[in-house]
Amino acid sequence: MDSVELCRELAIIIISAEVFGLLSEKLNIPRVAGEIIAGLVIGPSLLNVVQSSDFISVLAELGVIMLMFTAGLDTNMSDLRETGLKALLIACAGVAVPLVCGTLLYMAFYGFGAVGTAQFCQGIFIGTILTATSVSITVQTLKELGKLSTKVGTAIVSAAVIDDVIGIIVLTLVIGTNNAGTSIGTVLLRTALFFVFAFAAGHFLLKLFRFLDRKWPHTHRISVMALAVAFLFAFLAEYVFGVADITGAYAAGVILCQLSDAGYISRKVDVNSYMIFSPVFFVSIGLQTNIRDIDSTVLLFSLAFVGVGLITKVIGCGGMARLLGFSSNDALKIGCGMMTRGEVALIVAQRGMALNVIDQKFFSSVILLIIVSSILTPIILKMFYLNKSFPHRQPSVQS
Amino acid sequence: MDSVELCRELAIIIISAEVFGLLSEKLNIPRVAGEIIAGLVIGPSLLNVVQSSDFISVLAELGVIMLMFTAGLDTNMSDLRETGLKALLIACAGVAVPLVCGTLLYMAFYGFGAVGTAQFCQGIFIGTILTATSVSITVQTLKELGKLSTKVGTAIVSAAVIDDVIGIIVLTLVIGTNNAGTSIGTVLLRTALFFVFAFAAGHFLLKLFRFLDRKWPHTHRISVMALAVAFLFAFLAEYVFGVADITGAYAAGVILCQLSDAGYISRKVDVNSYMIFSPVFFVSIGLQTNIRDIDSTVLLFSLAFVGVGLITKVIGCGGMARLLGFSSNDALKIGCGMMTRGEVALIVAQRGMALNVIDQKFFSSVILLIIVSSILTPIILKMFYLNKSFPHRQPSVQS
C-alpha cells in the first residue's frame, strides 16, 4: 500500500463527503445519506476516481468501531437498564419477522421446499440475510438530530447490538444444517462468556479509570487510554469470543459511560471520527457498491426483497415496541431506525455463496437493500423527529 | 490486512506509548523519546508482541503528514519571512558539513578513493545518508515545550524542510554518477515548479478558505477541508513534483496559517494526532528497529558514524546560525534541533544497497544513528530550553 496514493484517495473522499454532506443539509436530508451518495459518485458506479482498497476498508472498520464506542459512551445507564429487556424482545421480533417473511418471499418466487431440502435451505439463507440491522447509519443520524441519548435512541442501539448477536446465531444454525461447523451451543456459550467477561473487566476498568480521572481529569491521557480500551475490547470480542468487534467497542463505551469524563472522552473520539474515519466509513459504503453490477434478471425479486426487508423490520421491531408500551410514534421510530442493513447482510450473503447454498445473482439484491435502506432510513428518521405530528396511524402489530 | 488484528496492535501501541510517555515525563525527558522506547520494548527488539506492518507504516506516514501540517499551521509568517533566507543558508551548511565529513570518515576507515572510483562513490553515499534531518521528532519536542512558534523553532523547521529537498537533490546527483536516472536539472526544475504551484494554489486556497471562514467560522467544515487540502498537497508534492509528501503538507500548513481560524484547525488536527496517529508514528520508529540485528563487525565504524552524524549537524547548522547573527545559545538549539535523522536516511541507505553501492552491513549504522539521534535530541533540546543559563560556550564556527 502506497501512502502517497492513500493521500490522494483520502483528499477526494473527505472533500466529496463534505460537498455532498453540505448539499444534503441544504436539501434537508441527513449528511450520512449524502456521504454514501458521495461514495457512489466517486466510486466504480460513476466516476471511478477512487476504488475501495484493503486500506480504506480497514480505516472504515476503525471508523465503525469509534462510532459504536461513542454510541456506548453516550448511553444513559438508567435508560439502558429500563430498556434492556425491552430491547432484547424488540431484537427477537426484529429477527423473527424478517427471517420468516424472507424465507416465504424466496419460496413465493422460486417454489416451495419442504424442511431439509436444498430449496428450503436457500429460502432460510435469504431470510437470514434480512435479520441483522446495521446500526451505524442510524447512530450517526440520531447523533446529528441530537436524539442518540434518548430512550428511543438507547432502545434502537441496544436492540441493534443484540440482533447482531442473534443474527450470527441464526447464521451458525443455518450453516450447521449444511456442514459441521461451530455448534450453536458453542456460539451461545461464547456470547454469554463475552458478557460475563465484559461485566467483570468493566468492574476493574471503571476502578482504574476513576483513579485516572481523579488524578488527571480532562486530560489527553483519559481519552487516549479510553480509545485503547475500545480497540482492546473490539479485538477480544471478535478474536476470543467470536462476537462482532463493534459489539466489543459498544460494550467498552457502555462501561466507560459511567465516568464523569465520559462526555469529554466522547467529544475527543468524535473529533477523530469526523475528521477522517467517519467520512471514510460512509463514503466506503458507496465505494464498495457498483450499481452497474446489479443483475437485471432478479430485478423483480430484488425490489420485493428490498420492500420485505424494510417493512418486516418496521412490523417486527415497531410492533413489539408498541406492545411493550412505547407510543405509536416512538414505536415507528424504533421500527424505522432498525431498517438499515450493512456489513452483516453482506457477510451472510458471502458465506451463503461460498457454501454454494445461494446463487451469485442474489448478491445484487443485497447490495440494493443496503443502498436503499442506508439512504432511506436517515431521511425517514429525520422526518419523524422534525415533524412530530406526523404520522399518527397505528402500525400493524403482527409479530 | 485484518482489522481485528489491527485493533490488538493499536491497543498495545497506544497503551505502551502512554505508559512510557508518562514514565519519561516523570524522568523529565520528553514524551517522544519515551514513545520511541515503547516501540523498542514491544517490537522485535524485546517483547515482539507487535511487528511493523504495511498498515502500521501507512498510519505512521499519515501521522507525520499531520504533524508537519500542524507545524506549518503554527508558523508565524513574519518570523518565516525573516528567517526564510537564513534557514536556506543554515540548511546548506547543514548538508555540506555532514556530507564532506561522512565521506572522509568512510575513507578513514576503509581507504581513500580518487574521484569516480567505487571507493569514492561508497564514501559519498555514506556522506549522503547523513545529510537529511528528520524534523518530526524535533517538531514534537518543540511543541511539548511550547517553543514551536518561536524564531528558533521556525528556523529549525524551515531549514529541515529545505535540507530534505537538498538531500534528495544530492541523492539524485550521487545516483546519477552510477546510472542514468533522473537528471539533477529535472529535480531542481520540479522542486522549483512545486514552490511556484504552492504559491499560486495558495493564493486561490486562501481566498476559498477566507470565504468558508466567514460563512462557517469555527466549524468542523473548516478543519475537515483543511486536512483534506493537506493530504492533497502531500500527494501532489510527491506524485507530481517528486518532492517529499511531508514538504507538501508543511506548505499547505504555511498557506493556511494566515487564516484567523488557523489555531482552531491546528487544535482539531492535533486531537487526531495525539489520539492515534502520533503514538503510532513514534512507536513505529522503535518497531522498525531490531536492536539484535545490529552488526557487531561495524560497531566501531557505527559509533564513529553516529558521533560524526550528530556533531556535523551542530557544527554546520549551529555554526551557520551563529554567523547569521543568532545568539550562541540559539545557534546551539538550532544545531541540536537538526541532529535527528529518520526515514530519509533509511531511504538513502536502501537506495544505496539496491544499487550495490554500499554494503548491507552499514544498515545497522544507520539504524543506530536514527535511534540515538531520536532519543538524544529531545533530551538535549529540553535541557537547553529549561536551563537557559546552560551552556554559554561558543560553538566552533567552521562551516
Side-chain angles (χ1 to χ4, degrees):
Chain A
M1 180 68 211
D2 184 2
S3 63
V4 174
E5 168 62 16
L6 185 71
C7 282
R8 183 185 74 85
E9 292 173 354
L10 283 179
I12 296 175
I13 288 174
I14 295 173
I15 293 172
S16 65
E18 197 52 47
V19 170
F20 281 84
L22 182 62
L23 277 177
S24 50
E25 276 173 24
K26 296 273 171 209
L27 296 170
N28 219 16
I29 57 175
R31 282 186 65 91
V32 191
E35 295 187 357
I36 296 169
I37 295 170
L40 289 173
V41 171
I42 63 172
S45 297
L46 201 60
L47 299 178
N48 203 20
V49 287
V50 175
Q51 292 84 35
S52 183
S53 66
D54 262 15
F55 199 89
I56 298 283
S57 308
V58 174
L59 276 187
E61 188 63 23
L62 293 183
V64 197
I65 288 171
M66 287 183 202
L67 197 62
M68 291 306 291
F69 178 52
T70 52
L73 276 175
D74 295 343
T75 306
N76 182 323
M77 263 315 239
S78 60
D79 275 359
L80 182 66
R81 284 208 189 88
E82 203 183 318
T83 58
L85 183 67
K86 290 181 180 176
L88 177 64
L89 293 171
I90 291 170
C92 287
V95 165
V97 178
L99 178 61
V100 171
C101 294
T103 309
L104 293 176
L105 174 78
Y106 179 83
M107 291 181 177
F109 268 81
Y110 299 99
F112 181 78
V115 176
T117 61
Q119 187 71 4
F120 181 78
C121 280
Q122 284 160 30
I124 287 276
F125 235 106
I126 295 290
T128 309
I129 293 172
L130 292 179
T131 55
T133 299
S134 163
V135 71
S136 40
I137 291 163
T138 304
V139 166
Q140 186 65 27
T141 311
L142 290 171
K143 245 187 190 173
E144 270 183 69
L145 297 168
K147 301 290 180 190
L148 186 58
S149 307
T150 60
K151 213 169 282 183
V152 171
T154 306
I156 293 177
V157 178
S158 38
V161 167
I162 296 168
D163 93 353
D164 249 23
V165 175
I166 303 179
I168 291 165
I169 294 172
V170 172
L171 177 65
T172 316
L173 195 65
V174 173
I175 291 178
T177 64
N178 279 280
N179 68 349
T182 329
S183 81
I184 180 82
T186 315
V187 175
L188 285 173
L189 182 68
R190 289 169 94 186
T191 307
L193 281 176
F194 171 73
F195 286 103
V196 170
F197 158 80
F199 192 81
H203 192 74
F204 163 76
L205 273 177
L206 259 184
K207 277 203 170 160
L208 173 69
F209 272 83
R210 282 198 173 124
F211 166 77
L212 294 175
D213 218 358
R214 268 196 309 276
K215 206 163 160 73
W216 299 286
H218 274 63
T219 53
H220 295 185
R221 185 155 293 135
I222 302 288
S223 28
V224 171
M225 289 299 274
L227 184 62
V229 167
F231 286 134
L232 191 65
F233 264 59
F235 163 71
L236 291 175
E238 188 141 341
Y239 189 80
V240 178
F241 300 98
V243 181
D245 51 0
I246 54 173
T247 306
Y250 180 70
V254 170
I255 292 167
L256 298 180
C257 82
Q258 298 161 70
L259 289 176
S260 57
D261 255 352
Y264 176 80
I265 300 170
S266 172
R267 281 195 301 281
K268 293 297 169 190
V269 178
D270 213 35
V271 174
N272 253 277
S273 282
Y274 75 69
M275 292 287 277
I276 296 191
F277 295 99
S278 167
V280 168
F281 171 59
F282 292 109
V283 169
S284 83
I285 295 176
L287 284 182
Q288 281 164 5
T289 310
N290 191 344
I291 295 181
R292 301 178 198 177
D293 282 348
I294 291 180
D295 188 330
S296 60
T297 63
V298 286
L299 193 63
L300 197 62
F301 174 80
S302 297
L303 292 176
F305 179 76
V306 172
V308 168
L310 301 182
I311 292 166
T312 50
K313 278 284 177 187
V314 180
I315 294 174
C317 301
M320 181 56 87
R322 186 78 185 93
L323 280 181
L324 292 169
F326 281 92
S327 74
S328 48
N329 198 8
D330 283 351
L332 263 177
K333 284 176 195 161
I334 291 174
C336 293
M338 302 283 289
M339 291 192 317
T340 41
R341 307 302 205 287
E343 59 288 352
V344 180
L346 281 177
I347 291 168
V348 176
Q350 267 159 343
R351 213 62 73 84
M353 286 188 294
L355 292 168
N356 279 320
V357 180
I358 59 168
D359 196 276
Q360 173 83 36
K361 67 185 175 192
F362 293 115
F363 208 66
S364 48
S365 317
V366 179
I367 291 174
L368 199 69
L369 174 63
I370 293 175
I371 300 180
V372 172
S373 66
S374 304
I375 297 177
L376 263 190
T377 306
I379 298 175
I380 293 178
L381 268 184
K382 190 168 182 178
M383 265 167 48
F384 278 127
Y385 272 107
L386 298 189
N387 187 1
K388 284 193 171 173
S389 59
F390 162 96
H392 268 311
R393 65 179 175 81
Q394 183 114 351
S396 39
V397 188
Q398 297 174 337
S399 57
Chain B
M1 180 67 211
D2 183 1
S3 64
V4 175
E5 168 61 17
L6 186 70
C7 283
R8 184 186 74 86
E9 293 174 354
L10 283 179
I12 296 175
I13 288 174
I14 295 174
I15 293 173
S16 66
E18 197 51 49
V19 170
F20 280 84
L22 183 62
L23 277 178
S24 50
E25 275 173 26
K26 295 274 170 207
L27 296 170
N28 218 16
I29 57 175
R31 282 187 66 91
V32 191
E35 294 186 358
I36 296 170
I37 295 171
L40 289 173
V41 171
I42 63 172
S45 296
L46 200 60
L47 299 178
N48 204 20
V49 288
V50 176
Q51 292 84 35
S52 184
S53 65
D54 263 15
F55 199 90
I56 297 284
S57 308
V58 174
L59 275 188
E61 189 61 25
L62 293 183
V64 197
I65 289 171
M66 287 183 200
L67 198 62
M68 291 306 291
F69 178 52
T70 52
L73 277 175
D74 295 342
T75 306
N76 182 322
M77 264 313 237
S78 60
D79 276 357
L80 183 65
R81 283 206 191 89
E82 203 183 316
T83 59
L85 184 67
K86 289 182 181 175
L88 177 64
L89 294 171
I90 291 171
C92 288
V95 165
V97 179
L99 178 61
V100 172
C101 294
T103 309
L104 293 176
L105 174 76
Y106 179 83
M107 290 181 177
F109 267 81
Y110 298 100
F112 180 78
V115 177
T117 61
Q119 186 70 4
F120 181 78
C121 280
Q122 285 160 31
I124 288 277
F125 235 105
I126 294 290
T128 309
I129 293 172
L130 293 179
T131 56
T133 300
S134 164
V135 72
S136 40
I137 290 163
T138 304
V139 166
Q140 186 65 25
T141 310
L142 291 171
K143 244 188 189 171
E144 269 184 70
L145 298 167
K147 302 290 180 188
L148 186 58
S149 306
T150 60
K151 212 169 282 182
V152 171
T154 306
I156 293 177
V157 178
S158 39
V161 167
I162 296 169
D163 93 355
D164 249 22
V165 175
I166 303 179
I168 291 164
I169 294 173
V170 173
L171 177 66
T172 316
L173 196 65
V174 173
I175 292 177
T177 64
N178 281 279
N179 68 347
T182 329
S183 82
I184 181 80
T186 316
V187 175
L188 284 173
L189 182 68
R190 289 169 94 187
T191 306
L193 281 176
F194 172 72
F195 286 103
V196 171
F197 158 79
F199 192 80
H203 192 74
F204 163 76
L205 273 176
L206 259 184
K207 277 201 171 161
L208 174 69
F209 272 83
R210 281 197 174 124
F211 166 77
L212 294 175
D213 216 359
R214 268 196 309 276
K215 207 164 160 73
W216 299 286
H218 274 62
T219 53
H220 294 185
R221 186 156 291 136
I222 302 287
S223 29
V224 171
M225 289 299 273
L227 185 61
V229 168
F231 286 134
L232 191 64
F233 264 60
F235 164 70
L236 292 175
E238 187 139 342
Y239 189 80
V240 179
F241 300 98
V243 180
D245 51 2
I246 54 172
T247 306
Y250 179 70
V254 171
I255 292 166
L256 298 180
C257 82
Q258 298 162 70
L259 289 176
S260 57
D261 256 351
Y264 176 81
I265 300 170
S266 172
R267 280 195 301 281
K268 293 297 168 189
V269 178
D270 213 36
V271 174
N272 254 277
S273 281
Y274 74 69
M275 292 288 278
I276 296 191
F277 294 100
S278 166
V280 168
F281 170 59
F282 292 110
V283 170
S284 83
I285 296 177
L287 283 183
Q288 281 164 6
T289 309
N290 191 344
I291 295 183
R292 299 178 201 177
D293 282 349
I294 291 181
D295 188 328
S296 59
T297 62
V298 286
L299 194 62
L300 197 62
F301 175 79
S302 297
L303 292 176
F305 180 76
V306 171
V308 168
L310 301 182
I311 292 166
T312 50
K313 277 286 178 188
V314 179
I315 294 174
C317 301
M320 181 56 87
R322 187 75 186 94
L323 280 181
L324 293 169
F326 282 91
S327 73
S328 48
N329 198 8
D330 283 351
L332 264 176
K333 283 176 195 160
I334 292 174
C336 292
M338 302 284 287
M339 290 192 317
T340 42
R341 306 303 206 289
E343 57 288 354
V344 181
L346 282 177
I347 291 168
V348 176
Q350 267 159 342
R351 213 62 73 84
M353 285 188 294
L355 292 168
N356 278 320
V357 180
I358 59 168
D359 196 276
Q360 174 83 38
K361 67 185 176 192
F362 294 114
F363 208 65
S364 49
S365 317
V366 180
I367 290 174
L368 199 69
L369 174 63
I370 293 174
I371 299 180
V372 173
S373 66
S374 305
I375 297 177
L376 263 189
T377 306
I379 297 175
I380 293 179
L381 270 183
K382 190 166 180 179
M383 264 167 48
F384 277 127
Y385 271 107
L386 298 190
N387 188 0
K388 284 192 171 172
S389 58
F390 161 97
H392 267 311
R393 66 182 175 80
Q394 183 113 349
S396 38
V397 187
Q398 298 174 337
S399 57

